[in-house]
Amino acid sequence: MKRPIRSLRVGQLDHLVDTFFFCPSCTTVRLAQPSRPCVPKSLPSKPTRRCASTLSSRTAVNAVKNIPTRYQGLYKALGDVQKNASAQVNLSRLRLALQGLESETPTTRVAVLGLDTQETARRLVRLLLADALVDESQWEKELTSNIQELGPDVVIRYGDSPSPNLQPSKSAVPVLYIPSNVLEINNIEILVSSINSLRNGELLHGSETITSDAFLSPSVGTPTSAYGRQTTIGQPVHSTLLVANGLDDLLACAELLASTNFVAREDRESVRIVVNLQDLKEGSQAKVLIVDALQAEEGLSAIRRSVREATTYEHKWVNSGLPALSDWLTQSSALHSNKSMPPSIRSLTSSILSNAARNLETQAKVDAQSDTAKRLSTAAQTNLEASIDEFSRNGHQELQSGLGSAWSSRNWRKLAWYKLFWRVDDVGLIIADLVSNAWLPKTERAVYELSGRLSQVGITPVEASPPITSSEVLHESDAVATSPATPGTILQAQATLASDGPLEAVLENTRGTTSVRMIPMRQPSPLSLSISRSRALQMDAAIADLTSTAQQIVLKFLSISGLSAGLSTLAYLSLTPGSVYEAGTIFALGTAYALWRMQGDWYKATKALEDRLLDQGRTVIQHIVARMRELVKNAATVQVDQVELQTRLDAEAAVKRAREELDQLD
């Protein structure tokens, strides 16, 4: 009998532990398990538990949203607008529109904005939400009296006030929960804030024009630190009620609205004005609502004193104009609509798309004007092309005449082949003097002049620099290779070669090993330096080649002459004594051959130098002319950034598709 009793106690203990001692994160699992009897049958079954990390909450961030079927196309299209046209729309208003499409009963946000102050606005909100059949509630006192405690801005939502013992929830804007039937039935939340009037009552023009976001996405300050610093954020709403207290405020509101740029018609229709005037005689059905808050407060106080004064309350309430304001608040709700899409949601979505289309159109016009301003005029293009043609003709003429004069000059005749014996050391000096003075000196000055004219019209005369590729072979002093390639190695290589100027990191893959190679970047050089740079290169090459050739020619002559002298000496000694004629003939023939070779080699070397300088001069002139014509052509042609153009086209397509989806909804 002991074993069954022991089993029974173990089963009861398991049940008690499972019932009263559990992990709070596993509460869902415990409650989902079926109840078990306290007494197990034979062996107690061990409860199966799951880790809390495997459970997904309904409020998970990545939860799938149940979008109504009729809104799915528009919802996806607005998502594309948010992705492709985020710079042209108010993202906070767009998110509000998306939230309105995520439910069949969306919440409507209404802003009640006071002009410079919120006193009258809070009085009207209290009158709209107060229950006349009950005594004054605590929230009424908080709304109208504790302005400093609630803050300058407050959001009013339906609900019971939280317990004062609980820590208040953190939110960007203070929230006041009110158990009002108006908020519950219409599913409305109200933002009470203020808007500044114009300074000195003057209308704004041009760039100072106020946007519609000042009314439909009012800026609200939220504290960011304990020292009082605030950050301004936008609170998007579906419609706005602008409250004016008296005729002066009414005129200020009119000036404020006149200075506002309402791009979309829906934006202007979403803003209404209500003015508080005492001794009101008749109501108004115009766009300006006229109310008398004092009469409404007197009527509310009368019925709260005694139900027998209901007639007084009714008369004062109707005469105050509050019923028209209540009707406007009810019509602003998204719940009271017979159409498939509530007017408030449609108006908000249409406004967003209209503003996006207008912004895209404005951006396209600005880009077109900017491209037109940067484009070279036809007259300037014609003048520059004529100057470039004249420069080309003058350059080729100078090249022909300059080199022709150089080859017939006295300095060049100093390098005759028979003068090399005592002029061989002067070859470099004479070549440098000839190339410097005869190879395109006037053309170089003309390049500077044309470069200045190009700069005056906004064209930067620089050489076209091709990009550096990783296949280029570099010297060990110009590159540093490390393996593997990491950001640290790139920074280290840049620090090592920083003295060489700007560097470019090139990744190379050799035998499966990735290395980084730092290459000095090619900086675009001015076009005016093309001739001087080419002249220096040609001068160095000509001096080196011609000096070496002259030395080799003289050495060959001496070698052949010496060889012929040796042969003549051998002939004189080997033949009959006295045969000086034969020995002299051999020496004379050898010397003549050496001189002939010397003359021919020097002629070939100088002729090659003349042809090389002429060809290089033509190449440089053609390159400069082609580059200048290319710069002028590019300046005269509108250069469109393909990335920006494609981005704008994608945004326009997304807005157009969203508009089509909106039009399909009745």
Side-chain angles (χ1 to χ4, degrees), residues 391-392 396 615 617-628:
F391 164 79
S392 178
H396 286 288
D615 293 341
R618 291 172 178 172
T619 302
V620 171
I621 294 175
Q622 291 174 359
H623 169 71
I624 294 175
V625 171
R627 180 58 180 166
M628 286 185 176

Side-chain angles (χ1 to χ4, degrees), residues 493-536:
Q494 288 179 342
T496 304
L497 298 177
S499 59
D500 295 337
L503 303 176
E504 180 178 1
V506 178
L507 297 179
E508 295 181 350
N509 191 352
T510 305
R511 297 179 180 179
T513 303
T514 303
S515 61
V516 59
R517 187 175 295 274
M518 302 304 299
I519 302 176
M521 296 179 61
R522 294 177 179 174
Q523 299 295 328
S525 59
L527 193 61
S528 56
L529 299 179
S530 300
I531 294 180
S532 60
R533 185 170 53 249
S534 299
R535 180 187 293 114

Side-chain angles (χ1 to χ4, degrees), residues 566-584 586:
L567 289 177
S568 63
T569 302
L570 289 177
Y572 177 77
L573 295 177
S574 61
L575 297 176
T576 305
S579 56
V580 180
Y581 179 77
E582 291 82 357
I586 294 174

Side-chain angles (χ1 to χ4, degrees), residues 29-41:
V29 179
R30 182 183 64 81
L31 295 177
Q33 293 178 350
S35 60
R36 298 177 300 172
C38 295
V39 181
K41 295 181 180 179

